[in-house]
Amino acid sequence: MNIEETRSVENMESTENVESTDSIESADSIAQDIENSEGIESTAKPWLILSVTDLVSFACRTGDLDLMSDAGPSAAEGIKVHQKIQKARQKKYADNYQTEVAISTICIWQNHDILLRGRIDGVQLEPLITIEEIKSCYLPPEQLPESTRSVQKAQLKVYGWLWLEVHKLNQINTRLTWFDISQNKEFAEEFLYTKQELTEFMNQALDRYCRWYYQVEQHRNKVIEDCRRLTF
């Protein structure tokens, strides 16, 4: 599978939460946003509206089954950790650190438009452009299960690819930051990726997700058609 074409749009100031747990949203609910987005040429509704979180959660998780893999800090604790780290970054880098950066692009998979969108926790603009994702935990990151770490790293890769795609760059520095609440301690790991590396990763992830979604859509359409034939 190849990402044949992308048409991108970035919103640095929007505060709308795009990391919904619903991977398939109503196209009508955002049709106006799409039409008003700079850089998106097509006025047709996308075949699929997909969040970065849902893409990686489905297509990029590896490791063993672990009943405790999703156990972790509450949403409220996660928000506090995000705000704490973002505030520290802004104090250090001032205007050179942007938070909650909304970013999206339209990819084409087998002639289907897919709106892929998400929100980057932080973008450091100087001295080196760095995409940052922030995660809260109760353990040192090396003790987190692979099923958790794989999704976290995949999310960082997808955001890195989106940034390169939107800004027409060839490589990007990324940072995955964990904050261990139990120790009140921050851990960070940085990765430098090329556009080619991230495009290959995206091709595989998007193809895996879209093939599944296509089967779901085909089954749903068949059920609807069968129901229409029923007589009472």
Side-chain angles (χ1 to χ4, degrees):
M1 173 270 178
N2 291 317
I3 300 174
E4 302 169 6
E5 178 185 356
T6 57
R7 295 184 293 277
S8 306
V9 58
E10 175 194 10
N11 179 357
M12 297 288 289
E13 299 178 353
S14 171
T15 58
E16 179 188 2
N17 181 8
V18 299
E19 287 294 346
S20 169
T21 56
D22 297 323
S23 60
I24 305 167
E25 304 175 31
S26 168
D28 291 334
S29 68
I30 66 160
Q32 190 62 43
D33 291 340
I34 297 171
E35 292 173 2
N36 293 337
S37 295
E38 180 182 357
I40 294 183
E41 301 169 0
S42 174
T43 58
K45 293 179 182 178
W47 173 65
L48 172 64
I49 301 163
L50 179 63
S51 76
V52 171
T53 296
D54 290 336
L55 170 64
V56 300
S57 294
F58 179 87
C60 304
R61 191 182 299 274
T62 61
D64 297 331
L65 294 175
D66 187 343
L67 294 177
M68 298 301 293
S69 63
D70 291 327
S74 66
E77 289 175 313
I79 291 172
K80 288 182 180 179
V81 166
H82 275 67
Q83 292 175 340
K84 178 178 182 177
I85 294 178
Q86 289 170 337
K87 185 176 181 180
R89 298 284 189 269
Q90 289 181 317
K91 182 177 181 180
K92 181 177 181 178
Y93 298 108
D95 293 339
N96 286 318
Y97 191 87
Q98 302 287 335
T99 65
E100 304 302 326
V101 180
I103 190 167
S104 45
T105 191
I106 291 183
C107 307
I108 296 179
W109 178 83
Q110 296 189 2
N111 297 320
H112 294 293
D113 280 2
I114 301 160
L115 175 59
L116 177 65
R117 61 181 190 167
R119 188 176 297 277
I120 304 171
D121 290 336
V123 179
Q124 179 184 321
L125 302 176
E126 295 289 346
L128 177 66
I129 296 178
T130 301
I131 303 299
E132 181 172 37
E133 277 297 295
I134 302 166
K135 304 298 179 184
S136 55
C137 54
Y138 289 135
L139 299 169
E142 64 271 13
Q143 295 181 23
L144 293 173
E146 173 62 23
S147 55
T148 297
R149 289 172 61 91
S150 62
V151 172
Q152 294 173 343
K153 289 183 177 180
Q155 186 177 24
L156 188 65
K157 286 183 177 181
V158 174
Y159 280 130
W161 178 84
L162 279 168
W163 188 268
L164 293 180
E165 187 65 28
V166 169
H167 295 280
K168 309 303 179 186
L169 300 174
N170 293 320
Q171 68 176 21
I172 186 69
N173 192 55
T174 64
R175 181 191 303 126
L176 186 52
T177 298
W178 295 273
F179 188 85
D180 183 352
I181 297 175
S182 64
Q183 299 184 61
N184 194 36
K185 187 175 181 181
E186 179 181 326
F187 302 82
E189 192 171 355
E190 295 198 5
F191 311 88
L192 183 65
Y193 295 113
T194 66
K195 179 69 176 295
Q196 181 178 351
E197 287 178 291
L198 296 182
T199 298
E200 290 174 358
F201 177 83
M202 273 294 302
N203 284 341
Q204 295 175 3
L206 195 60
D207 187 60
R208 186 176 296 121
Y209 189 99
C210 289
R211 287 184 183 279
W212 166 80
Y213 177 77
Y214 180 78
Q215 293 177 341
V216 171
E217 184 186 52
Q218 292 295 103
H219 174 72
R220 181 169 53 212
N221 290 341
K222 185 178 184 302
V223 170
I224 292 173
E225 186 61 30
D226 289 344
C227 289
R228 287 172 177 167
R229 294 194 184 102
L230 294 174
T231 57
F232 297 94

